[in-house]
Amino acid sequence: MSEKKFEELHKLYDNSKVGSLVQEICEYYATQDDYEDNSYQDEIEPPEIVESIYLLFCIQSREQILDELSIVQKKYPDLYSSVSGMHNTLLINMDYRTLEKSCGQKIADHAKDTTLEEVLNHADSYARSSESLSVAVDKFYTWLHTRSK
């Protein structure tokens, strides 16, 4: 990760207007930019699953997440360059249900004997019952790992 991105990431963590999920997403994408020769494949989940999970939970509080990503765009331009694709995906998909189904289906296809409905129900349940979306994502991963192939 470039020194500038690293500095911006530290500043981002001190910004109380940006929630823990957006901070986590920024860190994920910024560090992923530095992977060479597909070394990210050593991660527990493939990038398309991680990205689908992030999008699925961003949809749960779409307007808030879009506001936070706008702050990242304005205050941390180097860091934003890593998450701009995801931000644009959230902006472009005004009918979030199509995006939600697409992300949910990727996750369901990745997990063993899991339906789209189960994925969406768990995401919704965890988002509603957790103190933050970041905690909800952690709970979702715990559930997903019980379903892994």
Side-chain angles (χ1 to χ4, degrees):
M1 178 180 339
S2 75
E3 188 66 31
K4 184 72 172 157
K5 280 185 185 178
F6 188 73
E7 288 173 17
E8 286 184 354
L9 190 59
H10 277 290
K11 289 177 185 176
L12 176 70
Y13 278 116
D14 292 333
N15 188 330
S16 62
K17 293 181 180 177
V18 178
S20 58
L21 182 60
V22 170
Q23 292 170 347
E24 181 181 323
I25 290 168
C26 287
E27 181 177 352
Y28 171 79
Y29 280 99
T31 56
Q32 188 183 37
D33 286 348
D34 293 333
Y35 284 128
E36 294 176 8
D37 65 20
N38 294 327
S39 61
Y40 61 82
Q41 291 181 357
D42 295 337
E43 299 294 326
I44 294 172
E45 306 295 341
E48 60 273 8
I49 299 304
V50 174
E51 293 164 15
S52 292
I53 290 170
Y54 281 146
L55 280 169
L56 188 60
F57 280 88
C58 285
I59 291 168
Q60 302 300 314
S61 189
R62 186 176 179 273
E63 293 306 316
Q64 175 188 335
I65 298 296
L66 287 174
D67 289 345
E68 292 176 15
L69 286 170
S70 291
I71 291 169
V72 173
Q73 183 179 19
K74 290 174 188 162
K75 292 192 171 198
Y76 314 104
D78 287 326
L79 193 54
Y80 178 76
S81 67
S82 300
V83 296
S84 63
M86 181 185 177
H87 187 205
N88 288 332
T89 298
L90 284 170
L91 283 170
I92 290 169
N93 287 277
M94 294 305 285
D95 178 9
Y96 70 90
R97 288 171 289 217
T98 303
L99 180 59
E100 183 179 56
K101 286 180 183 175
S102 171
C103 293
Q105 192 61 57
K106 285 179 190 173
I107 297 164
D109 291 345
H110 174 73
K112 185 177 183 177
D113 299 325
T114 304
T115 65
L116 170 61
E117 291 74 25
E118 288 175 303
V119 168
L120 297 180
N121 286 339
H122 277 83
D124 181 61
S125 173
Y126 294 140
R128 291 178 190 269
S129 66
S130 301
E131 62 266 17
S132 73
L133 287 175
S134 187
V135 170
V137 167
D138 291 343
K139 289 179 180 179
F140 186 83
Y141 271 116
T142 299
W143 170 77
L144 183 63
H145 291 156
T146 67
R147 315 289 297 177
S148 295
K149 292 183 178 180

